[in-house]
mmCIF file with all atom_site columns, all heavy atoms in Angstrom:
data_model
loop_
_atom_site.group_PDB
_atom_site.id
_atom_site.type_symbol
_atom_site.label_atom_id
_atom_site.label_alt_id
_atom_site.label_comp_id
_atom_site.label_asym_id
_atom_site.label_entity_id
_atom_site.label_seq_id
_atom_site.pdbx_PDB_ins_code
_atom_site.Cartn_x
_atom_site.Cartn_y
_atom_site.Cartn_z
_atom_site.occupancy
_atom_site.B_iso_or_equiv
_atom_site.pdbx_formal_charge
_atom_site.auth_seq_id
_atom_site.auth_comp_id
_atom_site.auth_asym_id
_atom_site.auth_atom_id
_atom_site.pdbx_PDB_model_num
ATOM 1  N N   . SER A 1 109 ? 14.557 21.071  -6.325 1.00 98.00 ? 728 SER A N   1
ATOM 2  C CA  . SER A 1 109 ? 13.833 20.203  -5.389 1.00 98.00 ? 728 SER A CA  1
ATOM 3  C C   . SER A 1 109 ? 14.788 19.539  -4.398 1.00 98.00 ? 728 SER A C   1
ATOM 4  O O   . SER A 1 109 ? 15.982 19.364  -4.678 1.00 98.00 ? 728 SER A O   1
ATOM 5  C CB  . SER A 1 109 ? 13.089 19.088  -6.143 1.00 98.00 ? 728 SER A CB  1
ATOM 6  O OG  . SER A 1 109 ? 12.119 19.600  -7.038 1.00 98.00 ? 728 SER A OG  1
ATOM 7  N N   . LEU A 1 110 ? 14.236 19.170  -3.245 1.00 98.00 ? 729 LEU A N   1
ATOM 8  C CA  . LEU A 1 110 ? 14.897 18.227  -2.352 1.00 98.00 ? 729 LEU A CA  1
ATOM 9  C C   . LEU A 1 110 ? 14.608 16.838  -2.893 1.00 98.00 ? 729 LEU A C   1
ATOM 10 O O   . LEU A 1 110 ? 13.439 16.441  -3.013 1.00 98.00 ? 729 LEU A O   1
ATOM 11 C CB  . LEU A 1 110 ? 14.351 18.365  -0.929 1.00 98.00 ? 729 LEU A CB  1
ATOM 12 C CG  . LEU A 1 110 ? 14.766 17.275  0.069  1.00 98.00 ? 729 LEU A CG  1
ATOM 13 C CD1 . LEU A 1 110 ? 16.270 17.292  0.311  1.00 98.00 ? 729 LEU A CD1 1
ATOM 14 C CD2 . LEU A 1 110 ? 13.989 17.409  1.377  1.00 98.00 ? 729 LEU A CD2 1
ATOM 15 N N   . ALA A 1 111 ? 15.650 16.111  -3.254 1.00 98.00 ? 730 ALA A N   1
ATOM 16 C CA  . ALA A 1 111 ? 15.497 14.798  -3.889 1.00 98.00 ? 730 ALA A CA  1
ATOM 17 C C   . ALA A 1 111 ? 15.908 13.702  -2.916 1.00 98.00 ? 730 ALA A C   1
ATOM 18 O O   . ALA A 1 111 ? 16.997 13.755  -2.326 1.00 98.00 ? 730 ALA A O   1
ATOM 19 C CB  . ALA A 1 111 ? 16.340 14.724  -5.159 1.00 98.00 ? 730 ALA A CB  1
ATOM 20 N N   . LEU A 1 112 ? 15.058 12.691  -2.757 1.00 98.00 ? 731 LEU A N   1
ATOM 21 C CA  . LEU A 1 112 ? 15.305 11.580  -1.851 1.00 98.00 ? 731 LEU A CA  1
ATOM 22 C C   . LEU A 1 112 ? 15.094 10.259  -2.591 1.00 98.00 ? 731 LEU A C   1
ATOM 23 O O   . LEU A 1 112 ? 14.239 10.172  -3.482 1.00 98.00 ? 731 LEU A O   1
ATOM 24 C CB  . LEU A 1 112 ? 14.355 11.625  -0.649 1.00 98.00 ? 731 LEU A CB  1
ATOM 25 C CG  . LEU A 1 112 ? 14.284 12.928  0.145  1.00 98.00 ? 731 LEU A CG  1
ATOM 26 C CD1 . LEU A 1 112 ? 13.150 12.867  1.163  1.00 98.00 ? 731 LEU A CD1 1
ATOM 27 C CD2 . LEU A 1 112 ? 15.606 13.222  0.831  1.00 98.00 ? 731 LEU A CD2 1
ATOM 28 N N   . THR A 1 113 ? 15.855 9.231   -2.231 1.00 97.00 ? 732 THR A N   1
ATOM 29 C CA  . THR A 1 113 ? 15.649 7.898   -2.784 1.00 97.00 ? 732 THR A CA  1
ATOM 30 C C   . THR A 1 113 ? 15.977 6.862   -1.724 1.00 97.00 ? 732 THR A C   1
ATOM 31 O O   . THR A 1 113 ? 16.972 6.982   -1.000 1.00 97.00 ? 732 THR A O   1
ATOM 32 C CB  . THR A 1 113 ? 16.531 7.642   -4.026 1.00 97.00 ? 732 THR A CB  1
ATOM 33 O OG1 . THR A 1 113 ? 16.079 8.457   -5.110 1.00 97.00 ? 732 THR A OG1 1
ATOM 34 C CG2 . THR A 1 113 ? 16.469 6.188   -4.467 1.00 97.00 ? 732 THR A CG2 1
ATOM 35 N N   . TYR A 1 114 ? 15.119 5.836   -1.643 1.00 97.00 ? 733 TYR A N   1
ATOM 36 C CA  . TYR A 1 114 ? 15.383 4.682   -0.793 1.00 97.00 ? 733 TYR A CA  1
ATOM 37 C C   . TYR A 1 114 ? 15.510 3.463   -1.693 1.00 97.00 ? 733 TYR A C   1
ATOM 38 O O   . TYR A 1 114 ? 14.610 3.169   -2.486 1.00 97.00 ? 733 TYR A O   1
ATOM 39 C CB  . TYR A 1 114 ? 14.251 4.483   0.220  1.00 97.00 ? 733 TYR A CB  1
ATOM 40 C CG  . TYR A 1 114 ? 14.385 3.239   1.063  1.00 97.00 ? 733 TYR A CG  1
ATOM 41 C CD1 . TYR A 1 114 ? 15.472 3.059   1.901  1.00 97.00 ? 733 TYR A CD1 1
ATOM 42 C CD2 . TYR A 1 114 ? 13.407 2.237   1.008  1.00 97.00 ? 733 TYR A CD2 1
ATOM 43 C CE1 . TYR A 1 114 ? 15.596 1.914   2.676  1.00 97.00 ? 733 TYR A CE1 1
ATOM 44 C CE2 . TYR A 1 114 ? 13.521 1.092   1.784  1.00 97.00 ? 733 TYR A CE2 1
ATOM 45 C CZ  . TYR A 1 114 ? 14.625 0.934   2.616  1.00 97.00 ? 733 TYR A CZ  1
ATOM 46 O OH  . TYR A 1 114 ? 14.746 -0.200  3.382  1.00 97.00 ? 733 TYR A OH  1
ATOM 47 N N   . GLU A 1 115 ? 16.655 2.758   -1.605 1.00 96.00 ? 734 GLU A N   1
ATOM 48 C CA  . GLU A 1 115 ? 16.915 1.556   -2.380 1.00 96.00 ? 734 GLU A CA  1
ATOM 49 C C   . GLU A 1 115 ? 16.793 0.335   -1.468 1.00 96.00 ? 734 GLU A C   1
ATOM 50 O O   . GLU A 1 115 ? 17.322 0.328   -0.351 1.00 96.00 ? 734 GLU A O   1
ATOM 51 C CB  . GLU A 1 115 ? 18.324 1.589   -2.970 1.00 96.00 ? 734 GLU A CB  1
ATOM 52 C CG  . GLU A 1 115 ? 18.607 2.788   -3.857 1.00 96.00 ? 734 GLU A CG  1
ATOM 53 C CD  . GLU A 1 115 ? 20.052 2.856   -4.320 1.00 96.00 ? 734 GLU A CD  1
ATOM 54 O OE1 . GLU A 1 115 ? 20.914 2.175   -3.704 1.00 96.00 ? 734 GLU A OE1 1
ATOM 55 O OE2 . GLU A 1 115 ? 20.325 3.595   -5.277 1.00 96.00 ? 734 GLU A OE2 1
ATOM 56 N N   . GLU A 1 116 ? 16.117 -0.707  -1.957 1.00 95.00 ? 735 GLU A N   1
ATOM 57 C CA  . GLU A 1 116 ? 15.895 -1.887  -1.123 1.00 95.00 ? 735 GLU A CA  1
ATOM 58 C C   . GLU A 1 116 ? 15.818 -3.131  -1.990 1.00 95.00 ? 735 GLU A C   1
ATOM 59 O O   . GLU A 1 116 ? 15.285 -3.107  -3.087 1.00 95.00 ? 735 GLU A O   1
ATOM 60 C CB  . GLU A 1 116 ? 14.596 -1.726  -0.330 1.00 95.00 ? 735 GLU A CB  1
ATOM 61 C CG  . GLU A 1 116 ? 14.373 -2.745  0.764  1.00 95.00 ? 735 GLU A CG  1
ATOM 62 C CD  . GLU A 1 116 ? 13.739 -4.037  0.272  1.00 95.00 ? 735 GLU A CD  1
ATOM 63 O OE1 . GLU A 1 116 ? 13.102 -4.016  -0.790 1.00 95.00 ? 735 GLU A OE1 1
ATOM 64 O OE2 . GLU A 1 116 ? 13.880 -5.060  0.972  1.00 95.00 ? 735 GLU A OE2 1
ATOM 65 N N   . GLY A 1 117 ? 16.419 -4.216  -1.500 1.00 93.00 ? 736 GLY A N   1
ATOM 66 C CA  . GLY A 1 117 ? 16.359 -5.479  -2.215 1.00 93.00 ? 736 GLY A CA  1
ATOM 67 C C   . GLY A 1 117 ? 16.919 -6.579  -1.354 1.00 93.00 ? 736 GLY A C   1
ATOM 68 O O   . GLY A 1 117 ? 17.214 -6.391  -0.171 1.00 93.00 ? 736 GLY A O   1
ATOM 69 N N   . GLU A 1 118 ? 17.111 -7.761  -1.948 1.00 90.00 ? 737 GLU A N   1
ATOM 70 C CA  . GLU A 1 118 ? 17.686 -8.881  -1.227 1.00 90.00 ? 737 GLU A CA  1
ATOM 71 C C   . GLU A 1 118 ? 19.199 -8.712  -1.153 1.00 90.00 ? 737 GLU A C   1
ATOM 72 O O   . GLU A 1 118 ? 19.840 -8.337  -2.123 1.00 90.00 ? 737 GLU A O   1
ATOM 73 C CB  . GLU A 1 118 ? 17.320 -10.192 -1.909 1.00 90.00 ? 737 GLU A CB  1
ATOM 74 C CG  . GLU A 1 118 ? 15.824 -10.454 -1.940 1.00 90.00 ? 737 GLU A CG  1
ATOM 75 C CD  . GLU A 1 118 ? 15.472 -11.778 -2.593 1.00 90.00 ? 737 GLU A CD  1
ATOM 76 O OE1 . GLU A 1 118 ? 16.347 -12.662 -2.653 1.00 90.00 ? 737 GLU A OE1 1
ATOM 77 O OE2 . GLU A 1 118 ? 14.331 -11.927 -3.056 1.00 90.00 ? 737 GLU A OE2 1
ATOM 78 N N   . GLY A 1 119 ? 19.771 -8.968  0.002  1.00 88.00 ? 738 GLY A N   1
ATOM 79 C CA  . GLY A 1 119 ? 21.205 -8.811  0.175  1.00 88.00 ? 738 GLY A CA  1
ATOM 80 C C   . GLY A 1 119 ? 21.552 -7.437  0.727  1.00 88.00 ? 738 GLY A C   1
ATOM 81 O O   . GLY A 1 119 ? 20.677 -6.634  1.062  1.00 88.00 ? 738 GLY A O   1
ATOM 82 N N   . PRO A 1 120 ? 22.852 -7.124  0.789  1.00 92.00 ? 739 PRO A N   1
ATOM 83 C CA  . PRO A 1 120 ? 23.302 -5.856  1.392  1.00 92.00 ? 739 PRO A CA  1
ATOM 84 C C   . PRO A 1 120 ? 23.216 -4.682  0.413  1.00 92.00 ? 739 PRO A C   1
ATOM 85 O O   . PRO A 1 120 ? 24.225 -4.141  -0.038 1.00 92.00 ? 739 PRO A O   1
ATOM 86 C CB  . PRO A 1 120 ? 24.759 -6.166  1.761  1.00 92.00 ? 739 PRO A CB  1
ATOM 87 C CG  . PRO A 1 120 ? 25.201 -7.145  0.729  1.00 92.00 ? 739 PRO A CG  1
ATOM 88 C CD  . PRO A 1 120 ? 23.991 -7.999  0.418  1.00 92.00 ? 739 PRO A CD  1
ATOM 89 N N   . VAL A 1 121 ? 21.993 -4.293  0.083  1.00 94.00 ? 740 VAL A N   1
ATOM 90 C CA  . VAL A 1 121 ? 21.820 -3.246  -0.937 1.00 94.00 ? 740 VAL A CA  1
ATOM 91 C C   . VAL A 1 121 ? 21.013 -2.051  -0.440 1.00 94.00 ? 740 VAL A C   1
ATOM 92 O O   . VAL A 1 121 ? 20.821 -1.083  -1.192 1.00 94.00 ? 740 VAL A O   1
ATOM 93 C CB  . VAL A 1 121 ? 21.144 -3.824  -2.204 1.00 94.00 ? 740 VAL A CB  1
ATOM 94 C CG1 . VAL A 1 121 ? 21.992 -4.925  -2.807 1.00 94.00 ? 740 VAL A CG1 1
ATOM 95 C CG2 . VAL A 1 121 ? 19.747 -4.339  -1.887 1.00 94.00 ? 740 VAL A CG2 1
#
Side-chain angles (χ1 to χ4, degrees):
S728 299
L729 169 64
L731 307 172
T732 291
Y733 175 61
E734 302 175 343
E735 191 275 338
E737 298 181 22
V740 300

